[in-house]
Amino acid sequence: MTGAAVRAGTFTPEQDPISSQPADRVQAGIFLSLLEREFEQVTGRIEFAERCASAEHGNGFPVSAQRFEDEVRLLWATLAELHRMITALRGFAGRT
């Protein structure tokens, strides 16, 4: 066997602050920040698609306006799912 052996109980939580946070909570915090970033991106895409749909209606192109409106509906469903996941992770990551 190569490498150094690791003994259980080498550090107490006071000596090693990283070990005082369970790995699943740390991972939840990282995933939470990624989901929040995606939430912002989807929000921006919704705003863009809504503006495009409005412009297409104004220019007399109802078919392309409908495509943008369909995209908006799908993005709202995605946003709702992201919101659900973010809410659940905020509760989990905030536990002590």
Side-chain angles (χ1 to χ4, degrees):
M1 185 169 142
T2 61
V6 177
R7 292 187 312 260
T10 303
F11 294 106
T12 65
E14 295 80 27
Q15 294 169 326
D16 186 9
I18 293 175
S19 68
S20 67
Q21 297 181 2
D24 51 352
R25 264 186 251 144
V26 173
Q27 187 176 19
I30 293 168
F31 192 51
L32 178 61
S33 66
L34 293 172
L35 287 174
E36 288 171 338
R37 220 174 305 146
E38 186 174 355
F39 188 90
E40 292 301 319
Q41 290 172 347
V42 171
T43 301
R45 289 174 56 200
I46 289 171
E47 293 169 358
F48 176 76
E50 287 175 338
R51 283 193 311 270
C52 289
S54 178
E56 293 300 293
H57 274 299
N59 292 326
F61 299 112
V63 174
S64 42
Q66 183 62 51
R67 276 190 237 136
F68 283 114
E69 290 167 354
D70 293 343
E71 183 180 356
V72 167
R73 275 190 286 285
L74 290 173
L75 288 169
W76 272 109
T78 300
L79 199 67
E81 183 64 17
L82 285 168
H83 186 269
R84 184 194 64 75
M85 289 188 287
I86 287 170
T87 300
L89 277 174
R90 280 186 180 150
F92 182 79
R95 289 185 200 165
T96 55

